[in-house]
Each structure stands twice: as C-alpha cells, then as structure tokens.
Amino acid sequence: MGERFGLSTTLQSIAEDQLRHGDLPEAITSLTRAAAAFEQLGSAGDAAAVCAESATALARLGELDRAEAALARAGRHVEAAGEPGTATYVRLARAEYLLRRGDRKAALRELERAETGLANSAFDTRIRARSTGFRALIAILDDDPVRARRVLDTANKALIIDRDGSMITTSGAQPDDLAMFAHLYAALAMRDGNATAAAHLLGAAAAMLGTEDRRGYDNLVASADRAREALGAEAFTTAYQSTAGLQPTAAIEFLLSQVT
C-alpha cells in the first residue's frame, strides 16, 4: 500500500510540473492514473484534489464537458472525505472551470464560497492568494482595471510578511501564485499601453517559476501576444529576458514594485 501511495503522489507531482509547462494532455494522463490509484487506496481527500486538478487541466484545454465530469467526480470524493480544506480546493477548480466557460458571475460566487471561513494558516493563505488572482482576472475581463489593481495591490501588501537581506518571507503564497499576479499586472500594463512593462512582468513570472509560465492565465487576456505585436519580436524578447534571468527573490521584489 505504501508503494502505491508513493506512486500516486509522484504522479501528482509530475502532473503539477506538466501543468506549469503547459503540457496539458500529459498532465491529464498523469492525473487520471493518480486518481485511480488514490481511489483504490480509499484516499478520498487525495482523489478529490487530483480530480480537481484534472478538471483544471481539461478546462484549460477547452474540454469543458470532461472538466465538468471531473468536478462531479471530485465532489463525490469530497462528500466521502468530509475535509473542509479539500472542498475549498475543489471550489477553486470549479471557479476556473466556470471562468473558462464564460460565466464570470458564477465564478465569483464560487470564489466567495471558497474564501468563506478561511483562517491564517499557510494553506488558507495560499487558497486566498489563488482566489484573489482569479478575482483580479475577472475584474480585468469585466473591463474594470481599478477593481483589478485594488484586489492585486491589497493581496501583495498582505502576502509579504518579512524582508531580511536577500530573503523574502511570504505568508503562504507560493511562486506559482505570485507568477499569476505578475501576469495580471502585465495585463493591466497593456491596458495602460505600456508594452515594455508588460514584457518585464511576464519575464518576472518566468523567473519566479524557473521556467516559462504556460499555465494558460495569459490566454484569456493575451498580454504576451499584444506586447510582442506592440514592441516587435526583438524588443519584446529583450525586455522579457531582462527579468526572466532574475533570481526568484529579485523577481518577487520587481513584482512588489508594481504595487501602488
């Protein structure tokens, strides 16, 4: 049983890396295998989380019917697990699914439910960070940049809890979350007509992750494509690479410099 559990968690870790690189079909295959293994082990909470991640991958791929089925499967596991944290995680996946289906109001309602009852643990802070990112993205898609910036600025000010030399301590937020924020600030920069700033922010997102961010957040606002068109391919690459080569801590500092 221990060996099977180890295989399941390894598959889940591989899938998360594949999602980060935009390898969606491969991620779905890994997650499907992990879900089956967790189900055989009777680990309902882990199975729910993996099914939620599978729904996210399917939604980003545009396979919305399969994503909905994966969410329904995750919901059944949530009922069996009885774990509030897992239920919250599934709500986030459902919110992204609704967003990619075009139902922004329903997505916002799901995010509000996900944030209800959150405390100050590292897990809760990460959930809040991810939910914040989606709320800001929805504001951008609603053509409300003032609301989007207010949401992002408030979140960034709350996330950073300590600076000590070259170290920045965040209250639960991970590089994945902060990279998403960088993408959203890039979208706001493009709205302001500042394609160079957008390219810098997109590069900073890559620096935080250690790889080009291909999770699909930019697909909904097309910041990279519009910045490249505005600057020209060579100038865009130069601006992008100037921050993509930063150390992660320096990239986070650059992100924080965008806070008004």
Side-chain angles (χ1 to χ4, degrees), residues 6 12 14 24 49 52 70 91 135 143 158 217-218 228 237 258 260:
Q12 187 177 13
I14 290 171
L24 298 178
R91 285 193 184 282
R135 285 193 286 111
D143 197 26
Y217 297 126
D218 192 58
R228 187 179 290 105
T237 299
Q258 308 303 306
T260 56

Side-chain angles (χ1 to χ4, degrees), residues 51 54-55 60 65 111 113 126 133 152 160 175 186 191 197 199 209 242 244 249-250:
C51 287
S54 182
R60 291 176 187 175
D65 289 343
L111 293 172
R113 295 189 188 103
R126 182 160 197 203
L152 287 171
I160 305 304
R191 195 183 187 284
L209 291 176
S242 70
T249 299

Side-chain angles (χ1 to χ4, degrees), residues 179-196:
M180 180 184 184
F181 289 1
H183 273 272
L184 297 169
Y185 277 117
L188 291 174
M190 282 306 303
R191 195 183 187 284
D192 293 339
N194 195 338
T196 300

Side-chain angles (χ1 to χ4, degrees), residues 20-21 43 61 103 149 168 237:
R20 191 175 295 117
H21 286 82
S43 183
L61 198 59
D103 195 342
R149 182 169 288 280
I168 296 177
T237 299

Side-chain angles (χ1 to χ4, degrees), residues 62-217:
E63 297 196 24
L64 298 180
D65 289 343
R66 290 180 64 195
E68 186 174 8
L71 285 170
R73 186 176 172 188
R76 291 191 292 271
H77 289 308
V78 165
E79 291 179 5
E83 300 172 358
T86 303
T88 300
Y89 192 81
V90 173
R91 285 193 184 282
L92 280 183
R94 185 174 291 113
E96 181 167 353
Y97 155 76
L98 290 166
L99 177 58
R100 292 181 183 277
R101 199 178 70 181
D103 195 342
R104 297 199 289 272
K105 290 184 178 179
L108 274 175
R109 289 194 296 270
E110 203 66 44
L111 293 172
E112 289 170 0
R113 295 189 188 103
E115 292 184 19
T116 301
L118 291 180
N120 293 315
S121 69
F123 174 81
D124 288 346
T125 300
R126 182 160 197 203
I127 292 292
R128 190 178 290 108
R130 195 169 297 181
S131 180
T132 294
F134 284 121
R135 285 193 286 111
L137 176 56
I138 289 169
I140 291 169
L141 295 172
D142 284 344
D143 197 26
D144 190 344
V146 173
R147 174 165 53 109
R149 182 169 288 280
R150 182 174 64 247
V151 168
L152 287 171
D153 284 358
T154 300
N156 273 315
K157 289 173 183 175
L159 284 173
I160 305 304
I161 60 176
D162 187 41
R163 278 190 177 88
D164 180 15
S166 62
M167 296 297 293
I168 296 177
T169 304
T170 63
S171 55
Q174 300 296 314
D176 293 35
D177 309 316
L178 298 174
M180 180 184 184
F181 289 1
H183 273 272
L184 297 169
Y185 277 117
L188 291 174
M190 282 306 303
R191 195 183 187 284
D192 293 339
N194 195 338
T196 300
H200 286 155
L201 284 157
L202 294 169
M208 291 178 215
L209 291 176
T211 183
E212 184 177 350
D213 190 349
R214 295 179 178 175
R215 291 173 295 166
Y217 297 126

